[in-house]
Amino acid sequence: MNVDPSRPPDSTAAVPDITVVVIVYDDESRLPTAVQSVLTQTLRSVEVVIVDDRSTDGSYEVARRLAAEHPARVRAYRLPENSGGCGAPRNHGIEQARGTYVVFLDSDDVLERNACRNLLEAAETTGADLVSGLCVRVHVDSRSRKEVKWYPWLYERTRTLESIAELPDLLVFDTLSTNKCYRRRFLLDRDLRFPVGIHYEDLLFSAQAYTAARRITLIPNRVYDWNVVEKAATKSISNRRDEIANFAQRMEIHRRVDQLLAEQGLLELKFHKDVKFLKHDLVLHLRELPFRDAAYRHEFAAITRDYLDSIDHAAFDEVEPIHAICAHLLRGSDWDHLLPAVDTLTNRDKISSPLLERDGRIYWCAKHLDDDFARRVLDVTELGYHTKPVEKMFLRNALTSYAEAAGTVRLAGRITNPLGVVPPGARLSGELEFYARRKSLRLQTFRFPVATLRHEGETIAWEASADLARGLRPLGIVDAVWDVRLRLDVDGTRTTTRLTASEPGLATGQLPVRPRLTRLAAHHIEPEISARGHLCFRLVSHEQVDAFVARGVQGPPGRLAKSGYRKAKAVRKKLTSGDTKIRLYHEVFSRLPMKKRLVVFESHLGRQYSDSPRAIYEEMRRQGLEFEAVWSYSGSPVGFPSDATLVRRWSGPYLKALARAEFWIDNQSYPLKLTKRPRTTYIQTWHGSALKRMGFDEPEWKLKSRRRQEEQQRTLDRFDRFLIRSEHDVRTLARAFRLKEKTLLRVGYPRNDALVRARRSTERPPLAAELGIPEDRRVLLYAPTFRGRGQRRFELPFDVERFADTFGDRYVLLVRSHYLDHVVLPPSVRGRVIDVSAHHDVTPLLALADGLITDYSSVMFDYALLDRPMFFFAYDYKEYVYEGRGTYFDLLERAPGPVVRTEDELHAVLGSLEKQVVKYAAARERFVADFGEYDKGDAARSVVEQFFSQWRRA
């Protein structure tokens, strides 16, 4: 090997490929393991430089012993005085390194066995100054040694960057210095060193290295194991969030990184870093504020304020609303609103502010709204709080007083009343519930009535007493922690709240308690605050009992009990797993005798009571047939028929019903891995004609392996009958699913029978009155197709407030998002635009609408049967058609209504429904002839006559 002229002068040995700098402080027990992980690397040309930061234990002696045992590969150094951080020992390691490349390792971590080989190969192949690999956090004190990959999306594949600007997320998220390999010449030439005398040195060093590197290579290989000890006696530096000096140093490092980026003109990187600071770095410390005193809070705000002022306002738009709200309130030291907001930050579903409706928008609070930027940040309309009924709200319940005497605890608090969801005249009642945190031991819940409940406008004040000495009877030892909640009843509707301790030191003391395992187990219970800020109580055991239990847990009886528990838990998990359920279906339930006249219905994977399965079911009931009906549901069974047996999808009763049923009727697919028994008839109604390519016509399915395609075909071959509404379905769906001609049933869609009848009727459906639609308003329905996952929420592609202002005196717009999407409408359009997405069945909505606005949704084929105006808002037509999976025909050529691309064009064509009726009459007629030729209004009756007529009562 070549001799590196930059190595220490006293070194004459051949240059190793890599020097691993291992830093250590008071860690004599783990140092040998770290060093051993280097010595056993598959790359042999690796040396170890151990730098001891003046430890007070035997770490340096261990380092010297390792150097003596491996004189050619290990060298040990000791700093003259403790530096108090990682910077100085790492810098000394750089100076002493002889390798062509340098890697850093902490004494409590280890390198993956092939780390050096993989890092070196990437560096030599690409000529990179810096190579970074995957770090894995290993929770060494967890029973299963849980592993969490460190920002794995950065390391999905090998890639080389000519500049860090190509991948800002690398600088923003992976700020570690230890999962990387640095060309030593690069470190020396650029004078790259860690800052000394300040924590969080990795952040600055990594930023300097990233921005200085001529080339950076990322590899998907695991290189570094970051050992995490959750229950460590001494917290790591990053976890000492109760120390204000710790936070001050973090902020100083952030300022230095920002200055570096500004000097190099990397403003785009600064923006990405701002976003990450708002949604991650700041959040870590904000969550601690409820546990800190006033002095800490004010110093925290003083340190943060100037830095927040330096953040680009546009960054606030890129984070969750609650992140932006907390940051803005912190800038103004608005503690009255900030601390409740932090409660929501920690408990995401909690509504912790009374909120304010102004000018048709919902705001977090009434303060600060005279400022345009603040108003933008505090606008929480899109979160949809105003659309929730009280039973769907998780309300903040701030504990205002706590006192105990003679075994009784007296509590008082205030429950947030957002937007007056609890009206002044509501009948209120409540009770406190105490329950064991460990669910497996939740044998009993102890309840105490809430004596006082008062409506105080923005809050509901309450007071209660709980005699815990007599009323709470835990087992003892095993159910040590007891949580508390207050159940509030509002006019017969119940919502649940948790008791939030908003100030430190509010709940203190001890109360006597009588465990069922006798008072030898424990004799007192004391309040404490959970990590989420909620009041709970912990049993205080005798020291002798604690020692006894500890010995038992750690000894043979304890190990045997834990082993038995783990085995039982594993058995339970296995019994409830998907594979076990599939075996249960095939090996047990499928051997049971078939059950005559048992029919299992399902719509949209159990999400709805709707569509053609519903139409067939209701026709069977109308004809008075004798049969046993089972409906599957996922989620809530609300809205499903009361005269049928309801079973949860994938439950044991569901699988048993499917295995024994004479008929399956659904519109999408029963679980793919369930084999249909030969004597079961599967009627697949499907859920719409196809515009976009389906099944084996989809490009992605053509690329699947032969085995995957055969598996998919087996699931499709389960269909005994497939409902067809036009020959277009034969050419598209039937061909795409490779269905045999004998499977096709040309009867139309049962769900569309109602639409054929509605075309002949002149009466307005009663649904209009249920929705509160005035008689003088026409109804438009907006029903777009599914836009794909990955969005935080479904956003309308047009300004709904502008729409309401323009057409609100003529139309009421119904918005029905796809069942996989979620839409939120602002209060400003109340009464003029109505969200009807919760309606299971779209058919009544189609029958009500005087006109339909859609894009590519299959509802176009159904709505055409009504011969009413249709409008196609195809704002992303090229993207949908050419970048998606393609379409079977050109919508622009065959659409039975105007196809528009912009909001202005949409408004123009909506000006007159009557004009559209006349203009596109011939196009609608052709459209129905092409795509709905078998929809004659008797599909449900036809299906029943063909398959179930023999079930009529004698």
Side-chain angles (χ1 to χ4, degrees):
M1 291 190 180
N2 295 325
V3 177
D4 186 349
S6 65
R7 70 181 184 272
D10 60 338
S11 176
T12 57
V15 176
D17 288 325
I18 293 179
T19 296
V20 178
V21 177
V22 182
I23 63 170
V24 61
Y25 176 72
D26 283 0
D27 198 18
E28 60 180 324
S29 62
R30 291 180 292 190
L31 177 60
T33 303
V35 173
Q36 187 66 21
S37 75
V38 182
L39 296 177
T40 56
Q41 287 286 300
T42 53
L43 177 71
R44 300 303 297 168
S45 180
V46 179
E47 72 163 355
V48 182
V49 170
I50 306 173
V51 183
D52 175 62
D53 196 13
R54 203 69 183 184
S55 295
T56 61
D57 68 353
S59 295
Y60 183 55
E61 285 68 28
V62 171
R64 292 181 64 189
R65 175 174 57 78
L66 291 169
E69 292 173 355
H70 307 277
R73 301 190 65 192
V74 179
R75 288 178 287 134
Y77 300 88
R78 189 180 196 184
L79 297 186
E81 59 183 20
N82 177 251
S83 68
C86 301
R90 284 178 182 158
N91 291 340
H92 191 74
I94 294 173
E95 295 167 4
Q96 299 300 329
R98 296 187 297 109
T100 306
Y101 297 90
V102 176
V103 170
F104 299 108
L105 173 64
D106 292 345
S107 62
D108 51 349
D109 301 328
V110 295
L111 293 180
E112 193 275 336
R113 188 165 179 265
N114 298 294
C116 290
R117 179 177 296 280
N118 290 327
L119 291 167
L120 176 66
E121 181 180 341
E124 295 289 275
T125 301
T126 66
D129 290 328
L130 187 161
V131 179
S132 188
L134 180 65
C135 171
V136 177
R137 285 169 60 94
V138 182
H139 294 257
V140 294
D141 57 349
S142 67
R143 178 170 49 83
S144 59
R145 285 181 64 89
K146 181 179 72 172
E147 296 187 350
V148 180
K149 295 178 181 178
W150 184 254
Y151 300 114
W153 80 84
L154 296 171
Y155 298 98
E156 291 176 345
R157 59 183 174 85
T158 298
R159 52 181 162 177
T160 297
L161 312 174
E162 299 300 324
S163 167
I164 187 61
E166 295 178 25
L167 186 61
D169 277 359
L170 183 61
L171 177 142
V172 170
F173 290 98
D174 188 0
T175 56
L176 301 178
S177 65
T178 49
N179 58 331
K180 297 169 177 62
C181 175
Y182 310 85
R183 191 180 298 273
R184 182 167 176 265
R185 185 74 265 166
F186 160 68
L187 296 179
L188 297 176
D189 290 348
R190 293 304 186 105
D191 195 26
L192 292 178
R193 298 293 188 275
F194 290 87
V196 176
I198 187 170
H199 295 315
Y200 304 103
E201 56 279 301
D202 270 22
L203 276 69
L204 181 57
F205 179 83
S206 295
Q208 292 171 330
Y210 282 140
T211 55
R214 177 176 50 85
R215 187 171 294 151
I216 302 168
T217 295
L218 308 182
I219 60 175
N221 308 84
R222 178 175 182 165
V223 299
Y224 195 90
D225 282 6
W226 177 357
N227 291 330
V228 180
V229 182
E230 298 285 357
K231 301 172 184 177
T234 302
K235 290 184 179 180
S236 65
I237 292 170
S238 59
N239 285 325
R240 297 175 195 167
R241 300 188 191 114
D242 57 333
E243 300 175 7
I244 195 66
N246 183 296
F247 178 69
Q249 293 188 41
R250 179 189 280 265
M251 295 307 301
E252 174 59 25
I253 287 291
H254 274 289
R255 290 187 182 91
R256 294 187 191 182
V257 174
D258 291 349
Q259 181 180 356
L260 169 72
L261 298 178
E263 289 172 351
Q264 300 197 21
L266 299 172
L267 299 183
E268 184 68 20
L269 288 177
K270 167 69 163 62
F271 177 79
H272 286 281
K273 180 178 171 296
D274 286 347
V275 172
K276 194 243 186 177
F277 177 82
L278 290 176
K279 69 180 183 181
H280 177 72
D281 300 78
L282 182 61
V283 168
L284 292 176
H285 293 270
L286 281 173
R287 287 175 175 161
E288 299 292 317
L289 288 184
F291 305 99
R292 306 291 168 243
D293 60 23
Y296 180 99
R297 294 173 185 172
H298 288 291
E299 191 171 354
F300 176 84
I303 293 171
T304 314
R305 192 177 297 115
D306 290 343
Y307 189 80
L308 289 173
D309 286 339
S310 74
I311 288 180
D312 188 335
H313 282 186
F316 285 73
D317 297 328
E318 299 299 317
V319 300
E320 294 289 337
I322 192 61
H323 292 152
I325 288 169
C326 286
H328 183 71
L329 295 174
L330 178 62
R331 285 176 65 196
S333 296
D334 184 354
W335 300 106
D336 290 341
H337 294 108
L338 174 58
L339 291 177
V342 171
D343 198 3
T344 294
L345 185 68
T346 305
N347 303 278
R348 285 306 179 85
D349 295 329
K350 187 180 289 189
I351 306 176
S352 58
S353 172
L355 307 178
L356 172 74
E357 181 177 338
R358 177 183 293 180
D359 301 327
R361 308 294 294 178
I362 305 298
Y363 297 97
W364 184 259
C365 59
K367 199 173 178 182
H368 315 291
L369 297 185
D370 55 341
D371 176 76
D372 289 343
F373 174 64
R375 191 162 55 251
R376 191 176 88 205
V377 169
L378 297 172
D379 188 332
V380 292
T381 307
E382 67 176 14
L383 298 181
Y385 291 144
H386 59 286
T387 67
K388 292 185 177 182
V390 67
E391 65 271 19
K392 294 294 181 65
M393 290 182 167
F394 178 24
L395 301 176
R396 173 176 165 88
N397 186 348
L399 191 66
T400 56
S401 71
Y402 177 99
E404 54 88 10
T408 297
V409 59
R410 294 189 300 278
L411 307 168
R414 286 190 173 87
I415 302 172
T416 300
N417 185 19
L419 301 172
V421 69
V422 180
R427 300 187 313 276
L428 303 177
S429 63
E431 60 182 5
L432 290 175
E433 293 186 346
F434 292 72
Y435 57 96
R437 179 171 295 175
R438 187 177 294 178
K439 291 182 179 180
S440 59
L441 297 171
R442 203 170 294 174
L443 306 176
Q444 186 175 356
T445 298
F446 299 94
R447 297 179 173 86
F448 303 89
V450 174
T452 303
L453 281 162
R454 295 188 307 276
H455 196 293
E456 295 185 350
E458 292 188 342
T459 61
I460 306 299
W462 61 271
E463 298 171 4
S465 297
D467 187 351
L468 300 185
R470 296 183 180 181
L472 182 65
R473 295 298 308 276
L475 286 173
I477 301 176
V478 290
D479 54 351
V481 181
W482 287 75
D483 289 312
V484 191
R485 60 191 171 201
L486 188 152
R487 290 191 178 272
L488 176 67
D489 190 286
V490 182
D491 287 333
T493 300
R494 175 175 284 190
T495 188
T496 301
T497 70
R498 296 291 303 275
L499 277 57
T500 297
S502 56
E503 293 295 333
L506 180 62
T508 59
Q510 286 190 343
L511 298 99
V513 74
R514 295 184 300 161
R516 299 179 189 276
L517 295 178
T518 81
R519 299 187 69 175
L520 292 175
H523 53 81
H524 283 87
I525 194 168
E526 64 182 15
E528 68 176 29
I529 309 305
S530 72
R532 291 187 172 272
H534 298 140
L535 177 68
C536 61
F537 289 85
R538 181 179 294 276
L539 286 174
V540 181
S541 305
H542 292 283
E543 292 183 6
Q544 297 89 335
V545 173
D546 288 339
F548 174 76
V549 171
R551 287 195 299 272
V553 168
Q554 296 167 5
R559 287 195 294 271
L560 182 61
K562 286 189 289 185
S563 174
Y565 172 76
R566 286 195 292 267
K567 288 179 180 177
K569 190 175 180 180
V571 169
R572 181 181 178 184
K573 183 178 180 180
K574 185 176 180 180
L575 290 176
T576 57
S577 68
D579 290 342
T580 299
K581 288 181 177 180
I582 292 170
R583 288 186 58 191
L584 184 68
Y585 171 86
H586 288 107
E587 298 177 14
V588 178
F589 293 148
S590 291
R591 295 180 180 179
L592 297 174
M594 299 285 292
K595 197 168 186 180
K596 289 291 185 181
R597 303 193 181 193
L598 172 60
V599 186
V600 179
F601 297 87
E602 185 171 286
S603 177
H604 293 301
L605 308 178
R607 293 184 178 93
Q608 300 176 355
Y609 171 58
S610 66
D611 214 82
S612 292
R614 173 178 179 171
I616 294 172
Y617 171 75
E618 291 180 350
E619 178 65 17
M620 294 171 72
R621 288 297 190 202
R622 189 188 67 78
Q623 292 192 23
L625 304 186
E626 290 185 350
F627 69 104
E628 182 180 347
V630 171
W631 267 94
S632 100
Y633 70 90
S634 62
S636 170
V638 175
F640 285 81
S642 58
D643 56 354
T645 300
L646 306 183
V647 295
R648 184 180 295 276
R649 202 170 194 267
W650 271 112
S651 66
Y654 171 80
L655 297 173
K656 184 176 182 181
L658 283 176
R660 303 191 65 191
E662 190 174 350
F663 283 88
W664 292 359
I665 300 177
D666 95 309
N667 67 351
Q668 198 157 340
S669 178
Y670 287 108
L672 302 181
K673 293 186 178 181
L674 301 186
T675 303
K676 181 182 68 69
R677 295 174 73 173
R679 291 170 57 194
T680 298
T681 300
Y682 189 168
I683 301 176
Q684 173 56 256
T685 69
W686 203 238
H687 51 275
S689 297
L691 169 62
K692 57 181 177 282
R693 295 188 177 275
M694 304 290 291
F696 290 104
D697 287 344
E698 294 181 50
E700 66 175 270
W701 271 105
K702 293 179 180 179
L703 299 176
K704 298 286 185 183
S705 66
R706 181 188 297 272
R707 182 181 63 81
R708 291 291 306 279
Q709 291 194 28
E710 289 174 349
E711 289 176 357
Q712 178 70 2
Q713 190 61 54
R714 281 195 293 272
T715 67
L716 297 169
D717 288 343
R718 296 181 302 175
F719 304 158
D720 294 295
R721 292 292 187 271
F722 188 90
L723 270 55
I724 296 295
R725 60 191 304 250
S726 71
E727 288 305 305
H728 169 76
D729 290 352
V730 177
R731 295 188 297 271
T732 56
L733 292 172
R735 187 188 68 184
F737 295 156
R738 299 175 182 173
L739 302 177
K740 297 179 176 63
E741 174 62 31
K742 66 179 182 180
T743 304
L744 309 183
L745 197 60
R746 294 172 168 82
V747 296
Y749 281 172
R751 73 181 186 192
N752 288 341
D753 294 348
L755 298 180
V756 175
R757 292 193 297 269
R759 178 177 180 178
R760 303 169 186 151
S761 175
T762 59
E763 295 182 4
R764 198 178 207 191
L767 180 59
E770 294 177 22
L771 295 174
I773 300 174
E775 289 287 340
D776 63 342
R777 300 289 195 280
R778 307 290 291 278
V779 179
L780 295 177
L781 173 65
Y782 178 54
T785 193
F786 180 47
R787 272 294 183 274
R789 295 171 178 82
Q791 304 181 74
R792 287 189 293 180
R793 60 188 59 81
F794 174 70
E795 296 181 1
L796 294 172
F798 56 89
D799 186 337
V800 68
E801 292 178 296
R802 177 189 173 196
F803 183 97
D805 292 341
T806 303
F807 298 108
D809 59 342
R810 284 179 282 171
Y811 305 137
V812 170
L813 179 67
L814 307 181
V815 176
R816 188 179 194 272
S817 61
H818 190 277
Y819 62 84
L820 293 175
D821 284 323
H822 176 63
V823 68
V824 173
L825 299 175
S828 58
V829 301
R830 192 181 288 124
R832 297 176 293 171
V833 184
I834 303 173
D835 180 11
V836 293
S837 304
H839 285 246
H840 274 211
D841 205 340
V842 72
T843 301
L845 299 171
L846 295 174
L848 172 62
D850 297 298
L852 172 71
I853 306 170
T854 187
D855 43 19
Y856 324 104
S857 171
S858 64
V859 296
M860 71 174 76
F861 302 107
D862 306 312
Y863 191 78
L865 298 171
L866 293 164
D867 193 28
R868 298 174 188 171
M870 302 169 69
F871 307 88
F872 298 85
F873 187 26
Y875 57 92
D876 58 349
Y877 185 77
K878 288 185 178 179
E879 176 185 343
Y880 188 86
V881 173
Y882 300 113
E883 296 180 18
R885 61 197 195 197
T887 59
Y888 285 115
F889 63 88
D890 189 345
L891 182 64
L892 300 179
E893 295 179 358
R894 303 179 70 174
V899 181
V900 297
R901 305 292 183 88
T902 68
E903 187 173 344
D904 289 340
E905 291 175 350
L906 177 64
H907 280 219
V909 298
L910 289 175
S912 171
L913 295 185
E914 290 71 20
K915 181 179 179 180
Q916 301 299 328
V917 169
V918 175
K919 184 176 180 179
Y920 288 92
R924 289 195 302 275
E925 185 176 353
R926 288 193 302 270
F927 200 77
V928 172
D930 291 342
F931 302 109
E933 59 189 296
Y934 301 127
D935 280 322
K936 303 300 182 184
D938 60 353
R941 186 171 70 250
S942 178
V943 171
V944 173
E945 290 294 333
Q946 291 188 51
F947 296 97
F948 308 109
S949 59
Q950 71 276 17
W951 293 358
R952 290 192 177 91
R953 292 185 176 89

